[in-house]
Amino acid sequence: MDFFIFSLFRRFEAFLICETSGRRRINTFLFFALMIPGPLKFLFIFALSSRLLPAIVSEKKIRFFLSLPFSRTELFIYSFIFGFSIIFSATSIGWALFDRGSSPEFLKYFIFYAFYFGITLIYALKIGPMMILPMLLLLFDLVSSFIVPEFFAVSSQFSPIYQQNQPLALAVSLALLAISYVMFVFGRREKW
Amino acid sequence: MVISLENVTKIFGKARVIDNVSVGFNSGELSVVVGDHGAGKSSLLRLLAGELKPDSGKVVVKTGDLRGFAYENSNFFPGLKTADLCTVWTLLYRGFDIKKFRSLLSEAGVAENSRISHLSDSMKSWFGSSLVLASNADIMIFDEPLQYLNSEIKARFIQLVENEAKEGKTVIVSSNEIADFEHSANFVAAFHNGSLVLAGQTEKLLSSHRLFPGASTISPDFKVIGPVLNERLIETEDNIGRKATLKDIVSGYINGSSS
């Protein structure tokens, strides 16, 4: 058991070296950007989620990872954990530095991150590298209250931004994440 | 068999890049997968390495065997340095031999802390092969490793993979040109348009094929495989006609399958 855990940590460390050394600039930028409190954080979480496994898939860098002894499940989990670790640590530091009045809304960020990690991965697997549709979805979610208020009344319940009904929003995000996992791990029509 | 494909088909879009292929690779052998561009060699290797999943059929790997894969045009992250990947491979392959890796890099003049994106194609190719050679993986897979190498380094690579095979590893190498492995391959698998047209032990292939002039009359008792320039390749163990090289045999089967 100890050996298994030790081996798992070694493998995660190997993944982290590839991610952090290979894309140092963008990861550093997003880390600092995510410290900033306020609604802009959602935009940076979106940017981060689309730069993780979805970008690795769409830019065909996944071939590099799959040529190493990583399973697809491992890559999915490592990438997701790595992304949320950045959000968690950057938000915690940002909260300690600039925003100690209110407690950080980690669950809210997790729901948003899981939703867009799933959406952008599905998009990368099925369509391609330009993240136009996920961006439009984010924009529509943001402004739907002004455009179609009737729709907003329903969508805001599970919307990853508004999360009026947080358990429902969490369920929707997790469902999308699960779909993206199944498509990535068991899909046979690879785009790489 | 250490690793094998059983009735594997792989489809990209509408193209059947691997068409119902069954082939196995043994330990202690240098196996060469040969064919023209687009024949399906890289897809086969990617299936063997676990990078792709078959649309039908299955890839069977002996339990516990670790695969090391060096692929053509390695698509590394731009920021990665050679030392980063050395650390990554040390973490992932317990038997990774850093001393051997450093020595291999120095043979081709690759600096130990170079940015991978700054390396030339030949250096990248050698770097990828060096990682696999130092990994001590049970199954070593190389996709077109000779493509960018000069003749001196090519000879060195062939010597290294021969040694790995002699030490009991399963070594699988793809190449456009079988002539490079004429004297070192133990097993040959030839592909044409996604189909396996030839698979066999080199010694057996060499002893069971002969060349005849194209114009000569050949008895119907002999199986004509296909044309090779002005001659025809025949399957026979009789000491007749001209002795065929491995290159002739592969050409005969590929030409025979296209005609």
Side-chain angles (χ1 to χ4, degrees), chain B residues 7 28 36 51 53 59 84 105 110 113 128 142 144-145 147 167 173 191 195 203 205 230 247:
Chain B
N7 305 107
D36 297 329
E51 195 197 302
K53 289 187 174 183
V59 179
D84 296 328
L105 284 197
V110 182
N113 207 20
F142 302 87
E144 300 278 1
Q147 200 176 17
E167 282 172 20
V173 181
F191 281 79
S195 298
E203 275 183 32
L205 291 174
N230 297 323
K247 187 179 177 176

Side-chain angles (χ1 to χ4, degrees), chain B residues 76-130:
Chain B
F76 299 111
F77 282 144
L80 278 176
K81 290 183 173 180
T82 49
D84 296 328
L85 274 184
C86 176
T87 313
V88 167
W89 280 63
T90 311
L91 288 164
L92 294 173
Y93 293 86
R94 293 182 71 211
F96 191 81
D97 186 342
I98 296 177
K99 226 168 137 184
K100 182 177 180 180
F101 176 68
R102 285 182 179 150
S103 144
L104 288 169
L105 284 197
S106 68
E107 282 186 41
V110 182
E112 220 182 282
N113 207 20
S114 331
R115 203 169 274 264
I116 298 168
S117 54
H118 293 174
L119 298 178
S120 66
D121 284 339
S122 66
M123 281 181 170
K124 258 188 222 173
S125 172
W126 182 255
F127 172 71
S129 296
S130 302

Side-chain angles (χ1 to χ4, degrees), chain A residues 15-32:
Chain A
F15 177 84
L16 287 183
I17 291 171
C18 297
E19 264 288 357
T20 51
S21 309
R23 301 195 289 185
R24 191 172 284 128
R25 281 185 200 160
I26 182 79
N27 287 335
T28 311
F29 167 75
L30 286 171
F31 182 82
F32 284 109

